[in-house]
């Protein structure tokens, strides 16, 4: 089902060169549908502040809470509106090989530049099964493989990556297992992005990572751009660490969702099972913003502490 | 769920000005999935030969045999690859208001320029129900309403159209009820396209129709362009009538599917319940092509009579 | 994907013997989901009043407004709760052969006793295509074919039925084309049910029809049972005709939905594109109930005229 | 969308009393669809050998590789054919609260006796989010909560369970965290099933577990019945341990799928990302069967070592 129209072609090398990729937040309307106006604004702020790519419907963007038609629609929308300004990487991975095949085929058909693929979480499989899974989707286009054992319950070991690395579509690895693992790859010329904001500075400048696939850049894209492009900067990294720690005090994107709502750039709406951070953490966020400087965060409204009853949680949508 | 990004905006007036809109064929791979390479080639031939618009997933394109995710994907794909060269009108209509709302919202989100909406076929409803149905989708963007009682079992009477015509998104009507009905609309400045190839010349030049939404233009886009743009041309119309009659000897797109396969531009694959025309009609088509001139048809291969066993019919896909 | 467990087996002959089959209404909650409590009550009243079978998700039950998972769930629910008391016939037909195959396979897997199959409406096909379509689903289990050209835009001619009639799964035809057509079938021992309430008495007693697949029996199951089982009864038929005419003053199930809401047995909720009958028809219904006798209608509340603002119309659900 | 028909009612206490619940395997046809004949045979062998319940579409049954309509259909099928002989527990859990709500509602509507609910794997959430998630589905019917951090990446701590335990629908916990955790629950009268075959004997007889939700019982239901019902039996447990260890040498259900194919009770078909165990493990299985006795395993064919090329792996289905 491949298309060879020019607009669909992005080379794997272009993907390999991206340094700041934002795992973009998906904002919602009160009935739980996507808030595309808010989404467009978020993407535009990423472009203006120097991000080179976005992951659409990653775990941060809550792809796991989307139906596949919503997910592919959002990829198609992003490509259509922003595809000439930023690289659009669709999270078309799944723990079901069938779904990964179907979604990846559709994602490339609507023009996404690359796919992000997770190993089969929850259901898991053998190493041989992992390889078979990735081999079903790699032929379709530029691909980033994502390793995050704290979510998947299963590490993708380097042997698996090495057995796939001769495929010209393998752009690289989003790796959450730390500097040593990253170095294992970068020493053998496998492009690697840090999947941990709090480690990305050191991974980038000391361990060969090309850049980061970031959550924090949803909030402070300009500073994250500086961190990834402008050379080693220990003081900036230090300045950002409290924000990064705060963001991950509960499973992501709980912190991010809370933060964006308090910055006034998205409506305070959560799709369950996500719920906002408690009041004391919401107060803490306002202090962190003040510490780093409101002007470094996206949006133009004052940051505020939202009350419990300002949040809307949706289960049916 | 609206987006106001510039790329999504096409004015209703731009849609009103289209004269040759092709209800584009959807070609298939042997397993029943879309053959996007063949599809891209078909759309490119439309662009090269002067069509101004395509209907994606119309009855001709077998939208009725698509899952909605396939359908929206094909709209997104078409916009992404060809949206700057041709207007892309998604057939996001349905006999279920829920589905029409959902699909239309998604279609506009992936960038389609306009929606085609049918009245609720099969299930049918009252005139008041018709109006409620269309009012649910009209606010979403430029809209063409499609009236084809021979398929839907229910005429959309002018009273319904007139009660909707003040909506600035109503681009016009695709009308299959003949010259008089068309004239009813064009006399009150409601843009109308003929939905019948064999009547479109007269509707266009004698009854005020703006143009045609055509099946035949899949085969002879250049001649149909001439018929709609270059002034009254009785001899060309007469020359094309045998082809048009042949195309509709069985319910569309049976004839079109058979023809395109014999022209060698699509694989001879049918999604059931469509089956190819019988041998004698396939022989007849080759004669018609010779009569009109192979060079006026799309594709570059010799036209051929396919054998029964060259066709593949797929029920599960 | 067939199962041979005993509970799934119902013989085609058992289906052939049914005389009063009700095309059961699907009632809704205010958010548009199914109201299963009201549904269960409706089915129980059918059983108590002598119906032999129900069509689940027919056009009356608004199968055209269901997602397939809703539809199959409702079939499974009906079988599970009522399958030992009444025959459950799932309307698993579609204008898409793929969908008809998938739904029919699932419907039989959850235990439905028979399938109702429509010819491909709206998209339509050739006679050869019709036969291919039905041949894909007939092997799955007992099947009733439904002919209603006023909805489908295409008559299923006797030649098609005769070419399928040797299949032992063909239980018979639900025929809306009148007495002569019915007689054509019954004279060749093809079981036929009238699809028109206002003709069913004469079809049953004068033209060989086995019975009726009825809309009116949703309201007056006991009287319809009498009409189909207790011998020719011109006076009863005459008494019911005004109700039958009223029910079809607008496309079914608009009248039925309005009637059941006014009888207090379902909430006054419509899935669009259906809207309630206007006030004067609602007043008329109350008069008709009085004429026939409230005690002959299902439910125990007084019949009432509902106000416009008591109805809820849902588009997203 | 609740139904109160008698057949749907199973008390939470009935669920609490189950001792041997088999997480039943889903067998496939060569095209990847369900093999219902093989499935029915597997369920019948469970009933004959004394299992009290089955989990339909658990991780063992590869619910994670099913579309929801397949999944609900299989639950409905199981209830319809076997619901009077064995308790049917549908794994209608999901990491998406929306999906869990929808599937659970549908599962109870088609008659399942209880739901199995997992915490949101992969996406994860906060403890407060966990509680909100479970509270959305608990009102629908008898519920077992499933804790398996090695798959989900997140432990459900006892505080979460205790905050839910006053809900009368909470039947109990399927717990994989070992004897101590089980004892924590059983000491406070929370019903608990071991989720680990190799620990279940000791959990049952020494730590208060009610029984097991078992993978091994797919193969040796009679012996597992003995282990759970007939009193402490160290020698039987010891005899079974090598089988249990073998079954989990790779992520479940890889071992089980391989074993059942070699016993000749299911076709050797794997939905990716699962692939068969390698040859040496397949040989090992035959030895294990001989050690325990072929007659204790389900099926009547000789156990055999399958060749690599006898397995079919399906990605699109």
């Amino acid at each position: 089902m491949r298309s060879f129209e020019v607009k669909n072609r992005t080379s794997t090398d272009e993907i390999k060169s991206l340094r700041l990729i934002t795992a973009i937040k998906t904002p919602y309307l009160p009935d739980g549908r996507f808030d595309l106006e808010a989404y467009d604004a978020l993407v535009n702020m990423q472009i203006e502040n120097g991000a080179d790519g976005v992951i659409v419907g990653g775990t941060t963007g809550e792809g796991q809470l989307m139906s596949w038609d919503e997910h592919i629609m959002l990829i198609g929308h992003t490509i259509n509106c922003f595809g000439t300004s930023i690289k659009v990487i669709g999270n078309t991975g799944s723990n079901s090989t069938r779904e990964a095949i179907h979604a990846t085929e559709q994602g490339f058909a609507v023009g996404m530049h690359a796919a992000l693929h997770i190993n089969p979480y929850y259901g898991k499989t053998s190493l041989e099964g992992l390889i078979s899974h990735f081999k079903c989707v790699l032929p379709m286009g530029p691909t980033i493989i994502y390793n995050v054992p704290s979510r998947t319950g299963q590490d993708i070991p380097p042997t698996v990556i090495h057995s796939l690395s001769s495929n010209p579509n393998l752009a690289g690895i989003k790796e959450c297992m730390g500097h040593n693992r990253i170095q294992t790859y970068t020493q053998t010329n496998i492009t690697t992005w840090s999947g941990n904001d709090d480690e990305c500075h050191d991974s980038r400048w000391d361990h060969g990572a090309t850049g980061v696939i970031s959550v924090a850049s949803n909030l402070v894209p300009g500073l994250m751009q500086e961190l990834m492009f402008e050379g080693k900067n220990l003081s900036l990294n230090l300045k950002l660490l409290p924000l990064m720690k705060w963001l991950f005090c509960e499973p992501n994107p709980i912190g991010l969702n809370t933060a964006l709502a308090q910055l006034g750039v998205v409506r305070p709406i959560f799709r369950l099972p996500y719920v906002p951070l408690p009041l004391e953490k919401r107060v803490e966020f306002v202090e962190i913003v003040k510490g780093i400087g409101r002007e470094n965060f996206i949006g133009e409204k004052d940051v505020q502490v939202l009350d419990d009853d300002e949040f809307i949680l949706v289960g049916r949508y």
Side-chain angles (χ1 to χ4, degrees), chain A:
Chain A
M1 213 187 64
R2 301 188 67 177
S3 166
F4 295 95
E5 282 300 305
V6 172
K7 283 199 63 180
N8 280 333
R9 278 196 222 121
T10 298
S11 73
T12 304
D13 281 346
E14 282 179 277
I15 302 300
K16 284 182 181 174
S17 72
L18 307 175
R19 295 212 183 281
L20 176 58
I21 301 171
T22 298
I24 195 86
K25 153 76 178 165
T26 309
Y28 303 116
L29 296 172
D31 65 0
R33 284 179 300 144
F34 296 161
D35 181 348
L36 287 187
E37 281 188 70
Y39 178 80
D40 293 347
L42 292 179
V43 178
N44 272 322
M45 289 185 277
Q46 291 300 317
I47 293 168
E48 286 158 17
N49 286 285
D52 327 270
V54 285
I55 304 284
V56 179
T59 44
T60 302
E62 300 178 2
Q64 63 275 17
L65 306 186
M66 295 177 188
S67 57
W68 275 114
D69 71 319
E70 284 184 316
H71 201 144
I72 300 300
M73 178 277 275
L74 193 61
I75 292 171
H77 170 75
T78 311
I79 274 289
N80 181 54
C81 294
F82 307 105
T84 54
S85 308
I86 198 164
K87 292 298 168 192
V88 177
I89 301 155
N91 172 27
T92 56
S94 172
N95 61 349
S96 157
T97 307
R98 164 169 65 172
E99 292 189 21
I101 289 171
H102 184 70
T104 305
E105 206 165 55
Q106 291 207 332
F108 280 117
V110 298
M112 71 178 181
H113 298 120
L116 181 72
H117 279 291
I118 193 76
N119 51 317
Y121 47 84
Y122 182 53
K124 304 202 286 190
T125 187
S126 61
L127 296 192
E128 201 189 334
L130 281 183
I131 291 168
S132 297
H133 178 80
F134 291 125
K135 282 193 171 168
C136 286
V137 289
L138 266 169
M140 296 183 188
T143 301
I144 298 172
I145 290 180
Y146 179 19
N147 188 34
V148 57
S150 66
R151 286 190 181 278
T152 61
Q154 184 175 29
D155 183 33
I156 308 173
T159 52
V160 166
I161 298 301
H162 287 126
S163 77
L164 300 166
S165 62
S166 64
N167 189 307
N169 281 333
L170 185 65
I173 315 301
K174 176 186 178 186
E175 181 58 75
C176 298
M177 286 293 275
H179 302 315
N180 287 346
R181 179 66 64 85
I182 285 174
Q183 207 155 332
T184 303
Y185 291 134
T186 60
Q187 280 169 353
T188 53
N189 289 317
I190 295 174
T191 301
T192 312
W193 294 269
S194 171
N196 297 326
D197 281 316
D198 60 350
E199 294 179 348
C200 74
H201 174 270
D202 295 357
S203 288
R204 166 78 176 98
W205 300 110
D206 297 337
H207 303 281
T210 290
V212 64
I213 297 184
S214 176
V215 176
S217 59
N218 276 281
L219 299 170
V220 288
L223 298 183
M224 291 303 291
Q225 198 272 353
E226 200 181 331
L227 206 65
M228 288 298 104
F229 280 86
E230 307 286 322
K232 211 162 172 168
N233 189 336
L234 292 172
S235 69
L236 176 57
N237 194 41
L238 208 62
K239 187 176 168 187
L240 289 171
L241 278 175
L243 173 64
M244 290 160 170
K245 295 296 180 202
W246 181 90
L247 271 175
F248 294 91
C249 67
E250 290 287 359
N252 177 52
I254 288 177
L256 179 66
N257 291 349
T258 306
L260 289 166
Q262 296 206 148
L263 288 168
V265 293
V266 307
R267 289 177 169 89
I269 296 159
F270 282 64
R271 283 185 172 185
L272 288 167
Y274 297 116
V275 295
L277 287 180
L279 185 60
E280 70 271 20
K281 301 301 284 186
R282 301 202 297 263
V283 170
E284 210 177 300
F285 176 69
V286 172
E287 294 309 309
I288 288 170
V289 171
K290 287 179 184 157
I292 293 173
R294 175 67 184 89
E295 70 283 4
N296 290 310
F297 285 76
I298 64 165
E300 313 213 329
K301 295 185 190 158
D302 284 346
V303 62
Q304 55 175 326
V305 177
L306 291 172
D307 287 333
D308 281 357
D309 59 9
E310 294 182 83
F311 290 96
I312 297 173
L313 313 185
V314 291
R316 297 184 192 273
Y317 48 92

